[in-house]
Amino acid sequence: MASSIILIHNHPSGNRNPSEADRRRTAKLNEAGKYLDIPILDHIIFTESGYFSFADEGFLQEGKPSFKLFPFFHHYSGNYSSLLITLIP
């Protein structure tokens, strides 16, 4: 069983701001995580120019997550296509 969850998705449009649907889903999943004792550490939206972190912006108030984000620039397509998440002990 998972001990915590980090949600990640992309916005191909390039707009890294969360939509109203993103905000609603994050709130619902956060409540479900509380019910199941599986905290949502963050919900990250990434684009080719960067990312938006719900935790960094204060939308998830369960404490600061213990990880760092390192966006990888995809050399072949010229886009940010993935993120490396490193857990910090």
Side-chain angles (χ1 to χ4, degrees):
M1 182 185 246
S3 61
S4 60
I5 296 173
I6 299 171
L7 306 165
I8 300 174
H9 77 279
N10 70 331
H11 278 182
S13 68
N15 180 358
R16 67 180 124 187
N17 294 318
S19 66
E20 190 57 40
D22 291 329
R23 292 174 192 270
R24 281 194 310 269
R25 285 187 197 110
T26 301
K28 286 181 180 180
L29 289 168
N30 194 37
E31 287 303 310
K34 288 177 186 176
Y35 177 77
L36 297 170
D37 289 329
I38 304 172
I40 305 296
L41 298 180
D42 204 349
H43 180 180
I44 300 159
I45 300 168
F46 70 97
T47 70
E48 63 182 50
S49 64
Y51 67 90
F52 177 94
S53 163
F54 278 75
D56 287 352
E57 298 298 323
F59 289 98
L60 299 171
Q61 300 295 331
E62 295 301 315
K64 189 72 174 156
S66 56
F67 61 88
K68 275 196 144 182
L69 299 175
F70 297 95
F72 273 112
F73 190 75
H74 193 276
H75 179 70
Y76 301 108
S77 67
N79 293 322
Y80 284 100
S81 59
S82 60
L83 292 171
L84 171 66
I85 299 172
T86 303
L87 299 177
I88 301 170

